[in-house]
Amino acid sequence: MRRSRGTATALALSLTASATVIGLGLAPQAAAITPPVAFTADALPTWQPNGVVWALAEAGGTVFVGGTFSAVRPPAGGGGSERPAVNFAALDAATGAPTSCSLDFTVGGGTATVRALTLSPDKKTLYAGGYFGAVNGTPVSSIAAIDVASCTVKTSFRPAFAATVRALAVTGDTVYAGGDFLTVSGQPRRRFAAVGASDGALKPFTADADEPGRAVDVTPDGNNVVLGGDFFTVNGTNTHALAVVNAKSGALTKAYPGFIETNSVVKDIATDATGFYTGNEGTGGGVFDGRIALDLSDFNQRWRDTCLGATQAVLPYQNVLYSASHAHDCSSVGEYPDGQRHHLLAQPTTSVGKLGWAPDTNDGIGEGIGPRVMTVASKAGAPYLWVGGEFTTVNGAAQQSLTRFASTGDTGAPTVPVASAVSFTPGEAQVRWRTSLDLDDSALTYRIYRNGSATPIGTVTADSLFFKRPQASWTDTTALAGQTYTYRVTATDAAGNTSAPSATAAVTVPTSVDAYPNAVRTDGAQQYWRYDEPALPFVADSSAAGNQSGVHLNGPALRQSPGAVTGASTAIGFNGTNTQVYGDKRQTVGSSYSIETWFKTNTTRGGKLVGFGNNQARGSSQYDKHIYMTNDGRLVYGVYTGATRTITTGNADRYNDDKWHHVVATQGPGGMTLYVDGARKGTLNVTTHENFTGYWHAGGDNLNAWPDRPTSDYWAGLLDETAVYPSVLSAAQVQNHYALASAPADSVVQLTAAEDTYANAGAPGTNYGTSGSLAVRGTSLYASYLRFDLPAAPAGTVLKSATLSVKTSTMSGAGTTDTVSVVPVTGAWTEGGTTYDNRPGLGGPALGSFPGVPDGSAVHTAALDTATVVSALGSAYGLALTSTGTDALWLWSSEAAAGEGTPRLTLTFGTP
């Protein structure tokens, strides 16, 4: 709509990779956001109108604001008080505060409004369009020219537009206007016209349209004008909503019949050196609400973004197209399904794919559109992105109708990762987390910390967007069998802003392969939800690929025990009303697949256990490849082929008996098969299903029009071990999974020291039994003594591993470069009576060792000789920590609150 916006790239400057906090002063010339995005998502303090902002323009570090309002006021927490501003304000680009320029746009009857602002190429004249009859008392007719230097009306520019002017574009000698008018200065001009830039004299340019004009821009060569609006014809030729006309005559250069849907209009047009871009709004069904890029070479389409959610403004800047809309459904371009509105987006000027910039507003007042207009303003070499509209919040904070974003000073930290840890085999543990959200950084660095250490043990880089937050993971290959580890994860953006650490994720490494999950992974599961997470909203994917994580919706009950599989794995509980888990990744399902889950319920209202649908948090409009339960407890497996095709268990098979059951549904070249508890329950010679992109759901989704539809579409009961495979599981594989779930699992016993103390050669008569600390050194001697009350091995099991865990204290230099040995104690001792002078004797050989311990308060673990520990089962067992070196090791004792359960002996028992 404004030529100044189309040439915004002239404001560009080089950005470096550091960041500084921005206040109300000038922004430093540095940036640290993910390229090619040029602006942070952190809203800056900005004075705000009390109505709607329709137009923005900038010149010389000043931003001109037009709209329908009567005053401006400071941002929340800012200084100053509200001041009059009648439909117009001039604000400092760098501070967001009013300048001395004050103009009142008024009208004798009705409500005055300023709908369009643009600057002359030399930035000396501001042109304003809208519906008004005077500016500071000087008579005008819906258009005015303002001298920027003096902030006064140019009385020599007096064209008379008979109705609202909605769009303006300016060249050196011509002002182009679009709007509702039918005449200009008494001469016929329908919706588009051109007048002299200095005197306002009407020009021969004629591009008559049958419906209002809303957007005007001039091509960079000045030869053509691009028109947008509600129209269906220009100069009598069929060209709906968009047209290119000759800049001198108005004759059609390019018409677009049938190019834009008849119930959609063009709300905005902006150009850059390579093309022009349209923002589009539709009403009703089958609309086009998105954005179009067209090449200047032939005025043909480059790409079309069909997201739904009326686009009000487009702004190309440094090869990125920023847009203002309320885009709520981008599934047609492979992004997010219908749901939450997103008001500010960015994408390359070359494609439809969204970039990692997504600050947000609300819909606000008026029509509830949100943002309506954008421009880039520069001061002292720093560009700022200004956004106006009818919103009343920005990024969740109160701010009305006007906001701005800087090119530097990113201060927003990523969200805290939600992490979990798992171990299926000896010798490794995997930490998984849902990638964090950062509104102006899509590339983030994650650091993994083990056992409370201040030094990361691993680093991972991963990309995420607000609608695509895939699972990331890191595998600890130094994890020892039988040992328990804790992990925390942080996320850091390019500016160095770092999230708080995740909650602690704990895992015990098994001493042998965990049979059930190993079978699921080995058989090729591409999505495997075990439901062991301790916190909302992340559901980890335990498949080998690990990229099909899920999200809890409406807070299902976590860590329900016992789960379906023997061992420590837990289940998830759904309320039968609105809780579910949906997949975080949009995908398609091939011609062969298998669905597997365990379930437990006593419901008489039925519900969907697992299924595939085209939406996430809202009910799907396409849905099949699902397993659901009828009200009387039978299971149904169905696909849609143009008609519903189902397999249903027999009348004698009722599974709402409050017991765990296993169900598998497969489809492939051999048709459909349903298994329950390892047995085949039915087949159907159907090899196709509905082909659409969507998400896997557990716990509920739409079941409208399906046979034996239950009372509830949502599952009331427990689910566990939900897996999806890209192949058909064989009957033998299904039966093996069913059998493995009840196989005996290892049991883990963790023991805190019943007594512990240390001896100090420097204080030979002193007892340290209640000191809270333990110490180890060879010269002069410190030795620590630990006693554990060992249980006997449970019936039918043997000891498979034993590990000792200790935690270094927070004192400086608590770690050691020396090897610390764990040896048996041979003499008698007590915590309250042991000193250096009466210390017990030490045996051998060593049961294990700590080969050096780094500084920093953290847990460290040593594997112990299993055969030696076996001989002490069922008795009190004494261990000592000793060293031959001179570098002391300081540890927390069992009395110290910071010990967190250390010293700790972990015993793992299992079948021989």
Side-chain angles (χ1 to χ4, degrees):
M1 296 173 68
R2 293 167 302 283
R3 186 76 193 109
S4 59
R5 288 174 18 155
T7 57
T9 51
L11 301 174
L13 77 165
S14 298
L15 303 178
T16 63
S18 63
T20 305
V21 175
I22 296 176
L24 278 171
L26 299 183
Q29 296 184 26
I33 45 186
T34 304
V37 171
F39 301 98
T40 80
D42 305 319
L44 298 178
T46 308
W47 279 59
Q48 52 195 317
N50 62 352
V52 177
V53 171
W54 295 97
L56 294 170
E58 68 82 30
T62 297
V63 175
F64 302 105
V65 182
T68 312
F69 50 85
S70 61
V72 293
R73 64 185 186 278
S81 58
E82 183 174 281
R83 62 182 67 179
V86 183
N87 302 315
F88 177 87
L91 306 179
D92 185 279
T95 68
T99 69
S100 59
C101 179
S102 178
L103 299 170
D104 292 350
F105 286 73
T106 58
V107 69
T111 301
T113 184
V114 175
R115 292 301 181 103
L117 293 170
T118 194
L119 271 296
S120 60
D122 61 8
K123 299 295 185 82
K124 293 182 179 180
T125 303
L126 172 68
Y127 295 90
Y131 178 69
F132 47 84
V135 179
N136 279 6
T138 299
V140 293
S141 183
S142 292
I143 193 169
I146 311 298
D147 179 71
V148 172
S150 63
C151 189
T152 58
V153 178
K154 290 187 172 184
T155 57
S156 60
F157 183 86
R158 289 285 302 276
F161 283 76
T164 302
V165 174
R166 297 182 180 275
L168 293 172
V170 181
T171 64
D173 61 358
T174 304
V175 177
Y176 296 92
D180 301 347
F181 51 85
L182 301 178
T183 64
V184 177
S185 299
Q187 300 298 311
R189 291 292 190 275
R190 299 174 61 85
R191 278 83 183 212
F192 294 100
V195 299
S198 60
D199 58 7
L202 186 63
K203 297 211 169 202
F205 175 92
T206 302
D208 288 346
D210 60 333
E211 295 291 344
R214 296 183 181 273
V216 180
D217 213 343
V218 183
T219 58
D221 60 11
N223 294 331
N224 292 284
V225 179
V226 187
L227 311 178
D230 301 5
F231 52 82
F232 290 87
T233 64
V234 172
N235 291 337
T237 299
N238 182 15
T239 178
H240 174 52
L242 182 66
V244 180
V245 298
N246 181 270
K248 295 294 185 183
S249 66
L252 271 167
T253 302
K254 173 80 171 181
Y256 294 90
F259 184 68
I260 294 174
E261 283 74 357
T262 57
N263 53 353
S264 296
V265 302
V266 170
K267 296 297 291 289
D268 193 20
I269 297 172
T271 61
D272 62 12
T274 65
F276 64 93
Y277 309 86
T278 70
N280 306 271
E281 176 184 85
T283 303
V287 301
F288 173 56
D289 264 352
R291 294 155 288 281
I292 303 175
L294 301 101
D295 292 320
L296 287 174
S297 57
D298 56 10
F299 304 123
N300 288 331
Q301 179 174 294
R302 180 188 306 164
W303 52 256
R304 180 180 292 226
D305 184 336
T306 54
C307 287
L308 293 175
T311 304
Q312 303 299 310
V314 287
L315 173 60
Y317 179 76
Q318 293 185 346
N319 302 316
V320 172
L321 185 69
Y322 299 88
S323 59
S325 69
H326 56 263
H328 57 86
D329 185 354
C330 288
S331 58
S332 63
V333 292
E335 293 174 337
Y336 55 91
D338 191 18
Q340 179 183 346
R341 292 183 168 192
H342 299 278
H343 296 87
L344 295 170
L345 299 173
Q347 60 199 101
T349 54
T350 55
S351 67
V352 301
K354 305 304 180 296
L355 298 170
W357 184 81
D360 205 12
T361 73
N362 65 353
D363 291 341
I365 59 177
E367 296 178 43
I369 292 292
R372 287 185 174 274
V373 63
M374 313 172 80
T375 196
V376 172
S378 182
K379 187 165 185 178
Y384 301 84
L385 175 62
W386 284 68
V387 179
E390 55 195 35
F391 48 86
T392 58
T393 66
V394 179
N395 292 340
Q399 177 69 21
Q400 183 169 349
S401 300
L402 195 62
T403 191
R404 62 200 177 99
F405 305 93
S407 57
T408 60
D410 179 12
T411 62
T415 58
V416 178
V418 179
S420 65
V422 68
S423 181
F424 301 118
T425 60
E428 66 177 41
Q430 186 187 64
V431 186
R432 303 89 55 85
W433 61 93
R434 189 186 191 200
T435 45
S436 295
L437 174 62
D438 190 295
L439 296 179
D440 47 31
D441 286 279
S442 54
L444 299 175
T445 299
Y446 299 89
R447 292 179 174 86
I448 302 94
Y449 300 84
R450 186 173 77 176
N451 290 348
S453 173
T455 302
I457 191 174
T459 301
V460 172
T461 57
D463 291 338
S464 58
L465 297 168
F466 69 90
F467 61 89
K468 186 166 62 176
R469 296 172 60 186
Q471 176 173 300
S473 64
W474 176 82
T475 300
D476 184 354
T477 57
T478 65
L480 301 177
Q483 178 178 337
T484 298
Y485 295 92
T486 62
Y487 300 91
R488 302 184 82 180
V489 182
T490 63
T492 303
D493 67 14
N497 301 307
T498 300
S499 72
S502 69
T504 298
V507 62
T508 299
V509 181
T511 56
S512 59
V513 172
D514 196 344
Y516 185 89
N518 183 65
V520 173
R521 288 157 56 90
T522 300
D523 288 342
Q526 67 178 11
Q527 177 176 297
Y528 183 18
W529 297 342
R530 302 204 74 197
Y531 308 120
D532 293 334
E533 291 74 32
L536 303 168
F538 171 62
V539 182
D541 177 14
S542 293
S543 71
N547 60 6
Q548 302 279 4
S549 54
V551 178
H552 299 113
L553 181 64
N554 296 322
L558 306 183
R559 298 191 64 79
Q560 301 298 292
S561 184
V565 176
T566 301
S569 181
T570 58
I572 189 170
F574 299 97
N575 62 11
T577 302
N578 63 357
T579 56
Q580 63 162 300
V581 171
Y582 62 80
D584 216 4
K585 183 177 181 180
R586 195 167 185 260
Q587 59 183 289
T588 57
V589 179
S591 58
S592 294
Y593 63 89
S594 299
I595 308 166
E596 177 179 37
T597 197
W598 287 80
F599 66 94
K600 179 181 179 182
T601 188
N602 60 4
T603 185
T604 58
R605 301 178 71 247
K608 183 181 292 191
L609 286 73
V610 183
F612 193 73
N614 69 338
N615 212 320
Q616 290 179 310
R618 296 187 178 185
S620 297
S621 59
Q622 291 177 286
Y623 40 93
D624 77 336
K625 298 177 282 294
H626 48 208
I627 303 167
Y628 59 94
M629 179 175 279
T630 63
N631 287 346
D632 59 5
R634 292 172 296 139
L635 291 177
V636 181
Y637 163 42
V639 301
Y640 186 72
T641 62
T644 58
R645 307 300 302 275
T646 60
I647 301 171
T648 304
T649 58
N651 290 329
D653 296 321
R654 309 298 169 104
Y655 300 102
N656 54 349
D657 55 2
D658 208 24
K659 297 178 181 179
W660 279 111
H661 295 283
H662 178 237
V663 59
V664 176
T666 71
Q667 186 179 30
M672 299 166 59
T673 304
L674 177 65
Y675 301 88
V676 182
D677 294 339
R680 183 184 289 112
K681 291 295 181 178
T683 62
L684 191 63
N685 187 24
V686 175
T687 59
T688 61
H689 54 78
E690 189 172 12
N691 186 19
F692 60 93
T693 55
Y695 311 85
W696 287 104
H697 295 249
D701 196 11
N702 203 346
L703 281 170
N704 184 40
W706 279 80
D708 292 319
R709 183 185 183 184
T711 300
S712 175
D713 292 347
Y714 288 85
W715 176 249
L718 302 181
L719 293 180
D720 201 3
E721 306 291 334
T722 302
V724 178
Y725 304 78
S727 59
V728 173
L729 290 179
S730 68
Q733 288 172 313
V734 172
Q735 291 159 7
N736 182 49
H737 292 194
Y738 177 62
L740 285 175
S742 58
D746 291 350
S747 61
V748 177
V749 178
Q750 293 188 331
L751 305 171
T752 301
E755 291 188 281
D756 55 6
T757 188
Y758 76 97
N760 178 2
T766 302
N767 172 261
Y768 295 94
T770 59
S771 69
S773 295
L774 300 173
V776 184
R777 186 173 65 194
T779 308
S780 62
L781 180 72
Y782 298 152
S784 290
Y785 306 94
L786 319 171
R787 192 189 325 274
F788 296 93
D789 294 328
L790 304 187
T797 69
V798 297
L799 181 67
K800 303 180 75 172
S801 69
T803 60
L804 176 65
S805 298
V806 295
K807 186 175 184 180
T808 44
S809 74
T810 53
M811 69 180 291
S812 177
T816 182
T817 59
D818 299 329
T819 296
V820 174
S821 298
V822 183
V823 299
V825 177
T826 59
W829 64 280
T830 64
E831 179 181 87
T834 298
T835 67
Y836 177 80
D837 287 339
N838 66 7
R839 67 191 186 279
L842 305 181
L847 304 178
S849 65
F850 296 90
V853 175
D855 287 344
S857 182
V859 176
H860 300 274
T861 302
L864 304 184
D865 180 71
T866 305
T868 303
V869 178
V870 164
S871 64
L873 291 176
S875 66
Y877 190 46
L879 300 172
L881 301 176
T882 186
S883 172
T884 60
T886 59
D887 186 11
L889 172 67
W890 289 91
L891 306 170
W892 294 120
S893 74
S894 58
E895 284 83 8
E900 298 177 358
T902 59
R904 181 175 61 246
L905 188 65
T906 301
L907 306 177
T908 302
F909 298 94
T911 54

